[in-house]
Amino acid sequence: MSESTDAAAAADQTDPAGRIAAGYAFTGPALDLGALLWDGACLPDRQIRIPLSMLNRHGLVAGATGTGKTKTLQLIAEQLSANGVPVFLADIKGDVSGITAPGTPGARIDERARDVAQSWEPTGYPGEFYSLGGIGPGIPVRSTVTAFGPVLMSKVLQLNQTQEQSLGLIFHYADTKGLELIDLKDLRAVVAFLVSDQGKAELKGIGGLSTVTAGVILRALTAFETQGATEFFGEPEFDTSELLRTAADGRGVVSVLELPAVQDKPQLFSTFLMWLLADLYNDLPEVGDLDKPKLVFFFDEAHLLFSGASKAFLQSVTQTVRLIRSKGVGVFFVTQTPKDVPADVLAQLGNRVQHALRAFTPDDAKALKATVKTFPHSAYDLEELLTGLGTGEAVVTVLSENGAPTPVAATRLRAPQSLMGPIAAADLEQAVKASLLWSRYAEPVDRESAYEKISAEQAAAEAQAEAAAAAAEAEKQARAAEKGAGRATGRGAPKADPSLAEQVVGSGLFRSLARSIGTQLGREISRSLFGTARRRR
């Protein structure tokens, strides 16, 4: 071993903080997270950073409630925007809208800035505000049912694996028959048709879909509509390329999806976020590794996405996360503990910011031990460290510029330069209405699709049945009149009694049945229009 190597090894033993900091001394552009914490002290000259080129290797921001996760993603989003990278944020609680407004100076901000050697200046960043289907403030984001697809739809309808496969057959049937599935009433119309008397023959021909399963799907759709979900599906469909824009000054646009108005529909908004990501994956070209990502997507409350998910859904999520890196998109999952994210997905997350965890219960203690095992070997006692971190402090490990994990670093994080809280409701509404995208997406469009086509076919069938019944009745009356006239004159040969088929066709029961068949589906479909989930006009 050379003298220089011996000296380096000795330095590692005497200055472990220096060895950790050396792992974050990158040569290319990087985001500044904060200053190293070691032995109870904050070391402002030992900076902890993330290489900009590694942001498409995905990440995890985790920690107990109130430990500063939201401020961390705000800090990262600001610096991405400043580097020309567009950002998507899901604003679950309504406190991220402040990223577009300059922050408010104060004593606590000044103290934090001194601790971490930050040159803090109040700064707002270019942003757009969106909402799911126009519920709450924001530019409406909608998807067609076809684009959403059967796997994601099964997730929000809480179907089991067999029912999910059956829903896939229904989508396939609609596609082969040219029945566009744009909104929920289109899907409901197709399912209702397949369980009606007219559609049972079609039902048997699409892969063994049972009437019972179709009925379960229909009831799940009805319940889904009564929860107010009708607004999320329809046209104009949101073009996810809108999330890739930069402002005139070259900074990345921060797209904030406002979700407070739909907090009571966690399965829906978490699955809708997955649709946005999957749609981006389908549309973007392969680009390989870039100097900086095209977009970084923050997936807040990530545990909601995976709760109760089917095997097919988890496989789709895992594949999307694994492959979207090569499209230039980075994904950060934000949740309370790493165990909220399936192991196959967690394995794809190269960058980690772990805030404090609590160990008040046996389950908490078990989660703490599991979290510690997910980190590389560390110079810290991580079990003790993770329960003692303060608000705005975290344990960090990221991928270096050559793709290797950096040493685990306890870090006091920088303060965001934008407003750490929501902007005023009036300012938010003004920003939404002033957007160039408002006129493009604000008003819903209801063009002809499966519902209208099936309704028209049923109306035609009803009219044809009525006409046939009327013709049979007229013929019967004519024969009766002719027979009566012949008897009156004593001439006319006796007519044969009408056949059994003629008797049935001419009966009032037949006419009633024909009308019932023609209108049964209409009643079934129309029920969705008069419930609590009526479409916006």
Side-chain angles (χ1 to χ4, degrees):
M1 183 179 292
S2 67
E3 292 185 5
S4 61
T5 304
D6 289 340
D12 282 351
Q13 295 298 322
T14 59
D15 185 19
R19 179 179 60 81
I20 293 172
Y24 293 86
F26 309 123
T27 58
L31 309 186
D32 295 311
L33 291 180
L36 180 69
L37 288 170
W38 180 258
D39 199 20
C42 183
L43 309 177
D45 59 330
R46 309 284 174 87
Q47 292 291 305
I48 305 303
R49 311 161 75 214
I50 301 180
L52 188 60
S53 60
M54 290 291 112
L55 267 295
N56 71 331
R57 301 300 177 92
H58 311 319
L60 176 73
V61 179
T65 300
T67 55
K69 297 190 298 295
T70 301
K71 301 302 178 285
T72 296
L73 66 89
Q74 189 171 344
L75 171 67
I76 297 174
E78 289 178 353
Q79 295 185 65
L80 286 167
S81 175
N83 280 277
V85 178
V87 177
F88 175 89
L89 297 174
D91 188 7
I92 306 294
K93 298 182 291 291
D95 54 3
V96 184
S97 60
I99 198 168
T100 60
T104 304
R108 295 180 65 182
I109 295 290
D110 292 341
E111 181 183 2
R112 177 58 63 102
R114 285 194 302 270
D115 285 348
V116 300
Q118 178 184 10
S119 298
W120 190 91
E121 293 183 3
T123 308
Y125 295 83
E128 293 278 12
F129 298 99
Y130 299 97
S131 65
L132 287 186
I135 295 182
I139 299 161
V141 176
R142 302 181 185 90
S143 166
T144 63
V145 170
T146 293
F148 204 69
V151 174
L152 292 176
M153 185 62 71
S154 297
K155 178 69 165 59
V156 295
L157 295 180
Q158 301 182 48
L159 304 180
N160 62 31
Q161 184 174 355
T162 299
Q163 294 157 0
E164 178 181 320
Q165 293 169 349
S166 296
L167 187 61
L169 291 174
I170 292 170
F171 270 70
H172 175 71
Y173 170 79
D175 184 52
T176 57
K177 297 295 183 179
L179 299 172
E180 296 89 345
L181 301 178
I182 294 176
D183 52 25
L184 286 181
K185 74 177 189 298
D186 290 324
L187 179 57
R188 201 168 189 277
V190 173
V191 180
F193 169 73
L194 290 173
V195 297
S196 69
D197 290 341
Q198 303 97 304
K200 285 180 180 178
E202 302 280 346
L203 194 65
K204 293 178 181 178
I206 59 172
L209 175 63
S210 73
T211 304
V212 172
T213 299
V216 170
I217 294 171
L218 191 60
R219 289 192 294 274
L221 278 170
T222 301
F224 193 40
E225 288 173 320
T226 60
Q227 295 170 13
T230 305
E231 303 287 349
F232 305 125
F233 298 94
E235 291 182 322
E237 184 175 20
F238 183 70
D239 184 352
T240 51
S241 67
E242 309 283 10
L243 304 178
L244 303 174
R245 295 181 300 126
T246 55
D249 61 4
R251 292 186 296 172
V253 172
V254 181
S255 299
V256 182
L257 183 63
E258 292 294 327
L259 294 170
V262 292
Q263 285 191 72
D264 59 336
K265 302 174 180 65
Q267 291 279 1
L268 178 62
F269 72 68
S270 65
T271 310
F272 212 98
L273 293 180
M274 195 62 227
W275 167 76
L276 287 174
L277 197 60
D279 194 71
L280 282 165
Y281 169 74
N282 289 328
D283 290 348
L284 289 174
E286 294 280 342
V287 293
D289 290 325
L290 302 172
D291 292 336
K292 61 183 181 182
K294 287 186 174 183
L295 172 73
V296 176
F297 193 104
F298 288 89
F299 211 125
D300 204 357
E301 300 292 343
H303 64 282
L304 298 172
L305 178 70
F306 302 110
S307 176
S310 69
K311 183 177 180 180
F313 179 81
L314 292 176
Q315 288 174 342
S316 297
V317 173
T318 303
Q319 182 181 31
T320 301
V321 172
R322 180 183 294 119
L323 299 179
I324 203 169
R325 178 190 66 79
S326 63
K327 306 289 184 90
V329 177
V331 183
F332 274 70
F333 292 96
V334 184
T335 189
Q336 294 199 6
T337 71
K339 71 181 181 63
D340 294 334
V341 180
D344 288 345
V345 177
L346 192 63
Q348 310 300 318
L349 311 183
N351 303 297
R352 297 276 300 278
V353 181
Q354 176 68 59
H355 288 265
L357 291 174
R358 310 302 180 211
F360 299 143
T361 69
D363 285 344
D364 290 341
K366 185 177 180 181
L368 174 62
K369 290 183 180 293
T371 298
V372 169
K373 290 179 180 178
T374 63
F375 280 93
H377 177 73
S378 168
Y380 298 93
D381 181 343
L382 286 180
E383 282 196 40
E384 180 179 349
L385 178 62
L386 286 173
T387 55
L389 291 170
T391 301
E393 297 176 346
V395 172
V396 175
T397 179
V398 302
L399 294 181
S400 65
E401 291 167 311
N402 62 7
T406 59
V408 175
T411 308
R412 181 163 294 165
L413 298 166
R414 294 185 170 214
Q417 298 185 123
S418 56
L419 183 64
M420 289 189 282
I423 60 175
D427 294 338
L428 177 56
E429 183 176 0
Q430 182 180 0
V432 170
K433 297 294 176 63
S435 171
L436 297 176
L437 302 181
W438 176 254
S439 60
R440 191 178 306 172
Y441 294 107
E443 289 300 319
V445 176
D446 189 9
R447 63 182 175 90
E448 184 184 59
S449 49
Y451 170 78
E452 288 79 12
K453 290 180 179 179
I454 291 176
S455 297
E457 289 180 3
Q458 293 305 309
E462 180 181 356
Q464 186 176 3
E466 289 284 358
E473 180 66 21
E475 183 180 354
K476 178 182 177 182
Q477 295 294 336
R479 289 179 177 177
E482 182 180 349
K483 182 177 181 180
R487 287 176 178 172
T489 59
R491 296 189 301 270
K495 295 287 184 179
D497 290 335
S499 67
L500 178 61
E502 290 172 328
Q503 292 180 48
V504 171
V505 169
S507 70
L509 177 62
F510 175 84
R511 294 195 300 275
S512 175
L513 179 61
R515 285 192 296 270
S516 175
I517 291 174
T519 59
Q520 177 185 4
L521 181 61
R523 288 197 304 271
E524 189 67 30
I525 295 171
S526 299
R527 194 173 297 124
S528 65
L529 301 178
F530 301 104
T532 58
R534 191 169 54 190
R535 282 185 62 84
R536 289 161 60 93
R537 297 288 182 185

